[in-house]
């Protein structure tokens, strides 16, 4: 209707076109990229530069959603440049675009550019005394990047700040609360802060018991059991995970990755305590479940087979252990042929 009334070079038409593109994206339809790219090209011929920057930001995040990170970062870079040129009228939109640019730059391995964008975004929001809820995602995403590059000490305050904001501004069952708690568990694990890790794991367990799916509940109990074991609570850790698997097995489908990880972890807890006879069937069940997963995962397969091999060796079942060792090495080579621990396994 807009095209017939005003032509394609009209704000009404391009607005409706982009809204259609957003709906396609929400449906996971890759056609949304082409629709939103057409919107950008139309806006280039229109005078409103603010709307062009917004369209580029939208196109960049959509391309990233479908894994096209190189073209995504180009669109986001142009969006940032336009917002900068518009000055004070677009500051918060600039900070948001910088946050998106940081995410995609990190995916592309350009962590220097990512960090610069995240820091500029945070400094801008904080300098404007913005509502903390407005830049919650920037703090979380910057923290995740720092954690992934081995800078957990810098990530931890960002995760804590994000969690405090989520608890203050969002519903008690908001999924972001659970995600922040799991981010803190990862940070404390990297930092070796076992007491803080246990406290966060207990909080996450309580959250997912009330608000999680069966898979999320099992995953959080797996995290809790690992934290308990690190705090010299191995019997409690085994009891925690056994109880969680008892509830999860009847409701999770065969091949659920969460169940594979829980079974592997339950085997580790027993093997570390010298109960190799109890660990072996758990590893075997984990491998059977892993074989039914929808997508192959050589890293997890190699880890589980390595654990099973060591347990078989301790049980005196050397020939079976050798087979599992060989398969573990082959799987880990597929995952990361440059991993130096491969030579230890060999």
């Amino acid at each position: 209707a807009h095209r017939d009334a005003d032509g394609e070079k009209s704000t009404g038409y391009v607005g409706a076109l982009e809204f259609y593109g957003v709906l396609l994206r929400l449906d996971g339809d890759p056609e949304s990229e082409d629709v939103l790219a057409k919107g950008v090209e139309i806006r280039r011929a229109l005078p409103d530069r603010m709307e062009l920057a917004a369209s580029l930001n939208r196109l960049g995040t959509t391309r990233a959603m479908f894994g096209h990170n190189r073209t995504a970062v180009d669109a986001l870079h142009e969006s940032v440049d336009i917002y900068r040129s518009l000055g004070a009228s677009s500051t918060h939109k600039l900070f948001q675009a910088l946050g998106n640019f940081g995410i995609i730059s990190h995916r592309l391995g350009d962590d220097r550019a990512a960090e610069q964008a995240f820091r500029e975004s945070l400094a801008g929001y904080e300098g404007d005394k913005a509502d903390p809820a407005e830049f919650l995602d920037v703090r979380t995403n910057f923290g995740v990047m720092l954690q992934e590059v081995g800078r957990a000490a810098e990530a931890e305050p960002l995760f804590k700040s994000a969690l405090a904001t989520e608890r203050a501004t969002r519903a008690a069952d908001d999924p972001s609360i659970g995600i922040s708690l799991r981010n803190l568990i990862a940070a404390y694990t990297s930092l070796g802060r076992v007491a803080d890790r246990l406290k966060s794991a207990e909080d996450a367990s309580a959250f997912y018991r009330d608000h999680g799916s069966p898979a999320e509940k099992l995953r959080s109990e797996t995290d809790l059991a690992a934290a308990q074991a690190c705090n010299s609570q191995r019997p409690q850790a085994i009891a925690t995970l056994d109880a969680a698997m008892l509830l999860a097995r009847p409701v999770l489908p065969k091949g659920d990755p969460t169940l594979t990880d829980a079974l592997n972890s339950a085997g580790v807890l027993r093997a570390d305590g010298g109960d190799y006879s109890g660990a072996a069937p758990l590893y075997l069940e984990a491998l059977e479940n892993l074989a039914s997963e929808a997508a192959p995962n050589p890293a997890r397969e190699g880890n589980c087979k390595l654990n099973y091999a060591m347990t078989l060796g301790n049980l005196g079942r050397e020939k079976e252990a050798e087979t599992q060792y060989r398969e573990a090495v082959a799987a880990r080579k597929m995952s990361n042929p440059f991993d130096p621990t491969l030579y230890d396994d060999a």
Side-chain angles (χ1 to χ4, degrees):
H2 278 294
R3 181 176 54 208
D4 292 345
D6 306 311
E8 288 195 357
K9 304 292 188 193
S10 65
T11 55
Y13 172 76
V14 73
L17 181 72
E18 289 178 330
F19 189 72
Y20 174 56
V22 170
L23 291 175
L24 288 173
R25 181 174 72 178
L26 290 171
D27 272 347
D29 190 333
E31 186 190 347
S32 58
E33 277 192 77
D34 294 334
V35 172
L36 293 173
K38 183 177 179 182
V40 165
E41 292 312 306
I42 293 171
R43 289 208 181 273
R44 291 189 190 281
L46 299 174
D48 192 330
R49 301 281 291 166
M50 184 85 77
E51 286 296 334
L52 172 59
S55 293
L56 284 161
N57 187 39
R58 193 178 301 116
L59 175 60
T61 55
T62 302
R63 284 174 170 168
M65 174 180 170
F66 293 104
H68 302 148
N69 293 316
R70 182 62 61 189
T71 54
V73 85
D74 292 340
L76 290 166
H77 196 289
E78 186 179 357
S79 175
V80 166
D81 287 346
I82 294 172
Y83 280 134
R84 283 194 203 284
S85 72
L86 294 172
S89 63
S90 66
T91 51
H92 283 212
K93 294 180 185 299
L94 168 63
F95 305 152
Q96 181 192 55
L98 281 165
N100 292 332
F101 182 77
I103 295 169
I104 311 307
S105 295
H106 173 53
R107 287 184 192 170
L108 290 170
D110 190 352
D111 292 331
R112 186 172 182 176
E115 180 170 357
Q116 184 177 343
F118 281 132
R119 290 198 183 281
E120 184 180 352
S121 178
L122 283 176
Y125 278 123
E126 290 165 354
D128 273 7
K129 295 183 169 39
D131 182 343
E134 189 177 346
F135 57 103
L136 178 58
D137 289 346
V138 177
R139 281 175 286 167
T140 297
N141 291 324
F142 187 26
V144 168
M145 189 207 92
L146 291 169
Q147 170 73 20
E148 289 178 354
V149 298
R151 294 161 62 182
E154 296 171 77
E156 184 237 357
L158 291 167
F159 293 149
K160 287 181 72 174
S161 171
L163 178 60
T165 300
E166 287 156 353
R167 283 176 162 162
T169 62
R170 298 189 173 180
D173 62 349
D174 192 287
S176 63
I177 294 173
I179 291 170
S180 287
L181 286 166
R182 297 197 75 236
N183 285 337
L184 279 169
I185 294 169
Y188 291 137
T189 300
S190 298
L191 293 168
R193 290 166 53 178
V194 294
D196 289 325
R197 176 185 177 182
L198 178 58
K199 176 63 171 64
S200 294
E202 289 170 344
D203 289 347
S205 172
F207 174 82
Y208 284 113
R209 272 200 300 269
D210 290 340
H211 310 299
S213 67
E216 288 170 332
K217 290 175 183 176
L218 180 58
R219 184 179 60 192
S220 71
E221 296 304 287
T222 303
D223 289 342
L224 176 58
Q228 289 169 332
C230 287
N231 279 267
S232 303
Q233 300 176 21
R234 189 180 308 283
Q236 180 60 41
I238 291 173
T240 294
L241 203 43
D242 284 354
M245 289 194 299
L246 188 65
L247 294 173
R249 276 190 178 104
V251 295
L252 289 179
K254 190 171 180 60
D256 187 290
T258 316
L259 183 56
T260 302
D261 293 341
L263 288 161
N264 186 47
S265 296
V268 169
L269 288 171
R270 284 170 168 79
D272 285 352
D275 181 10
Y276 303 116
S277 296
L282 290 165
Y283 289 137
L284 185 58
E285 186 181 352
L287 288 168
E288 290 170 351
N289 197 69
L290 183 69
S292 299
E293 290 184 14
N297 190 314
R300 289 168 59 246
E301 179 187 353
N303 176 259
C304 193
K305 286 188 172 182
L306 177 62
N307 291 335
Y308 188 36
M310 289 189 287
T311 293
L312 290 171
N314 282 304
L315 288 170
R317 295 159 61 180
E318 287 87 356
K319 284 200 172 294
E320 294 171 84
E322 181 182 352
T323 300
Q324 292 300 319
Y325 268 124
R326 290 185 182 280
E327 292 180 4
V329 169
R332 295 185 66 199
K333 277 182 180 176
M334 288 178 62
S335 171
N336 180 6
F338 305 107
D339 182 352
T341 62
L342 274 172
Y343 300 106
D344 298 334
D345 295 345

